Amino acid sequence: MKLVVMKFGGSSVANAEKIRHVAGRVIEKKKQGFQVVVVVSAPGDMTDDLIEMAAKVTRNPAPREMDMLLATGEQASIALLCMSLHAKGQAAISLTGPQAGIFADTDHTRARITQIQPKKVLAELAKRRIVVVAGFQGLNPNSDIATLGRGGSDLTAIALAAALKADLCEIYTDVEGVYTTDPRVVPDARKLEEISYDEMLELAGAGAQVMQGRSVEVAKKYGVVFAVRSTFSQAPGTRVHKEVRQMEDVVVSGIALDRKQAKISIVDIPDRPGVAARIFSALGKAGINVDMIIQSEASDKKNDISFTLSEGDVKKALSALRPVKKALEAKDLVANNNVGKIAVVGVGMRSHPGVASKMFQTLADAKINIQMISTSEIKISCVISRDHVDQAVRELHKAFGLDKK
Ligand code: ADP
Ligand code: ASP
Ligand code: MG
């Protein structure tokens, strides 16, 4: 019998009506002859609400307790979905991440999956039950619950599909697939029929929320072909798979945006060896991921170092850097939250020159100033002022002809 893993995101299980609808989609699949494993996220904005609630109780929640709290969202969803399946006459059982045999490391709130022992999942499938697993959580070596980073239910689904050698893996969400850019920003954005793992990875890393970046890494590593599709329509969605030759014909596949970026600058640092090492090791120790880095040309034996990071990490980064600034005798340490990032992505960039110049010219024509630039083989990103992000994406979407095709 064929096995499918179906993952439904928060907006797909946001209320009772939607949960009943999801139950219907799951039953459809069962009736097509599949063994069905379902992964669900917390309903609607529940994870955000829980984070807010914790912030009202304390400024410094213990990471272990944070995970205990956040894991409850997904647990609400699995129980409610199973109740709905039962009400529709289907045999189904809910399992937490630990019950499903998902093991994680001790890095609370952004743990990695270390292994999956899906014994109970397989036993329940053998009893002809639909198995509904809580996304975003696993059991760590201290027997504590750990969550897998924001958007982590995607990771649960992909990793389970790999462990169970699923015949099909489908990520159901509130849009019909992966689009040329966020359809909330550009209404003309087009749904892509297919996209390579590397492009999806770059788009996710640059802020396209539709798939969690780490889940795409795992899909690539284990060769899990998956589809992103809509909970609310029968449209076929976007297939994400290994790169094939003709994908290179498309120069730019998509544009990502991230408004929640910030820039920190350390100003007038004496120019000597070891400065960058000192700054970035302090940030590394504080668990902060840095994205782009710029070091200015030294003048008067002093230079500036600026880098971008997630807005949410600014406070932590400033506390980590204050003692470093003092020790290095730098003049200033400043944070700027009014920045955002845009990135154009496409495997065709490897063989087609001129993408960077077209991107910069388009931004120049729109009078948008570029503050930082970074590139990879298949991506060009720019940091710009946050107020210009949406306009920049619209202009670039047009300039690269993504609205046509
Ligand atoms: P879920 O709750 O199902 O996990 P998310 O909110 O995490 O859904 O992701 C879906 C959202 O991602 C869409 O509503 C869309 O606004 C946003 N998004 C951003 N970039 C893209 C893109 N390139 N293609 C499709 N959706 C995108
Ligand atoms: N509920 C978690 C979040 O909001 C995990 C997920 O939805 O994938 O990040
Ligand atoms: Mg998501």
Side-chain angles (χ1 to χ4, degrees):
M1 214 171 171
K2 287 197 167 179
L3 192 155
V4 61
V5 174
M6 307 171 83
K7 179 257 170 178
F8 292 89
S11 47
S12 304
V13 290
N15 57 38
E17 193 192 335
K18 289 183 174 170
I19 290 173
R20 286 196 298 266
H21 175 76
V22 165
R25 298 247 20 196
V26 170
I27 294 168
E28 248 169 54
K29 227 23 167 223
K30 179 99 198 259
K31 290 199 169 143
Q32 288 167 14
F34 282 94
Q35 287 189 307
V36 185
V37 175
V38 184
V39 173
V40 271
S41 296
D45 296 328
M46 187 164 171
T47 308
D48 289 327
D49 296 344
L50 291 170
I51 292 172
E52 243 175 64
M53 182 96 117
K56 284 186 188 153
V57 172
T58 167
R59 275 170 52 179
N60 231 346
R64 179 188 182 278
E65 304 311 327
M66 199 65 194
D67 274 353
M68 197 64 109
L69 177 68
L70 296 190
T72 61
E74 272 63 17
Q75 285 169 214
S77 292
I78 53 171
L80 290 166
L81 180 57
C82 273
M83 288 175 196
S84 181
L85 288 164
H86 295 163
K88 290 177 190 285
Q90 289 293 321
I93 184 169
S94 62
L95 300 178
T96 63
Q99 286 176 317
I102 298 173
F103 293 91
D105 66 22
T106 53
D107 199 2
H108 278 296
T109 74
R110 52 172 174 202
R112 290 184 171 265
I113 293 179
T114 49
Q115 56 165 320
I116 297 188
Q117 292 175 6
K119 232 173 60 196
K120 193 165 168 70
V121 175
L122 291 168
E124 296 297 342
L125 286 173
K127 290 182 208 160
R128 305 183 140 270
R129 289 176 170 163
I130 295 167
V131 179
V132 181
V133 179
F136 178 57
Q137 53 178 259
L139 190 70
N140 78 14
N142 303 323
S143 303
D144 289 328
I145 202 148
T147 65
L148 309 175
R150 297 307 306 267
S153 299
D154 294 332
L155 178 60
T156 304
I158 301 280
L160 264 176
L164 296 166
K165 301 195 168 56
D167 299 282
L168 194 61
C169 177
E170 298 181 315
I171 308 293
Y172 286 85
T173 184
D174 60 353
V175 287
E176 289 197 346
V178 180
Y179 282 66
T180 46
T181 192
D182 189 338
R184 275 188 276 203
V185 177
V186 181
D188 290 350
R190 263 183 328 105
K191 185 181 80 185
L192 299 164
E193 260 170 53
E194 57 172 359
I195 188 166
S196 68
Y197 291 127
D198 287 336
E199 288 169 314
M200 191 66 247
L201 249 177
E202 292 281 21
L203 285 173
Q209 190 192 340
V210 60
M211 282 300 294
Q212 189 213 32
R214 270 164 57 192
S215 71
V216 185
E217 259 172 58
V218 171
K220 183 182 176 187
K221 182 164 171 192
Y222 294 99
V224 177
V225 174
F226 62 96
V228 178
R229 53 183 301 195
S230 167
T231 304
F232 308 104
S233 88
Q234 294 291 344
T238 303
R239 270 167 52 83
V240 187
H241 58 90
K242 205 168 84 201
E243 185 179 331
V244 289
R245 250 279 198 61
Q246 58 274 31
M247 282 178 165
E248 286 223 22
D249 296 344
V250 183
V251 183
V252 170
S253 305
I255 302 175
L257 63 131
D258 186 348
R259 296 189 197 87
K260 293 190 177 148
Q261 290 276 300
K263 183 166 84 172
I264 290 185
S265 305
I266 309 164
V267 182
D268 270 1
I269 322 167
D271 188 26
R272 55 175 190 256
V275 164
R278 184 102 186 241
I279 292 171
F280 293 102
S281 74
L283 292 166
K285 273 192 207 129
I288 290 160
N289 280 326
V290 167
D291 185 13
M292 292 188 208
I293 302 174
I294 283 191
Q295 175 170 312
S296 65
E297 191 77 26
S299 73
D300 207 15
K301 300 228 164 73
K302 298 213 163 138
N303 59 30
D304 302 344
I305 292 184
S306 301
F307 61 89
T308 59
L309 71 172
S310 287
E311 190 182 25
D313 281 341
V314 168
K315 261 201 217 150
K316 227 173 18 166
L318 289 175
S319 331
L321 288 177
R322 271 187 209 107
V324 180
K325 175 209 154 205
K326 205 162 166 208
L328 293 174
E329 296 171 335
K331 189 168 143 209
D332 218 346
L333 172 65
V334 282
N336 173 4
N337 279 6
N338 185 26
V339 294
K341 187 173 69 175
I342 45 170
V344 303
V345 172
V347 287
M349 270 183 220
R350 288 195 201 110
S351 44
H352 297 75
V355 177
S357 62
K358 187 162 182 174
M359 180 175 189
F360 303 154
Q361 191 58 52
T362 305
L363 295 175
D365 292 345
K367 304 207 164 20
I368 295 172
N369 188 40
I370 301 171
Q371 301 180 23
M372 286 171 146
I373 299 166
S374 89
T375 63
S376 80
E377 208 186 5
I378 63 164
K379 179 184 75 178
I380 303 165
S381 329
C382 294
V383 170
I384 58 176
S385 102
R386 192 174 291 175
D387 324 332
H388 285 136
V389 165
D390 287 21
Q391 187 200 352
V393 171
R394 282 194 293 267
E395 299 290 345
L396 290 167
H397 196 263
K398 234 187 294 155
F400 285 104
L402 293 176
D403 47 346
K404 295 181 193 112
K405 270 174 229 170

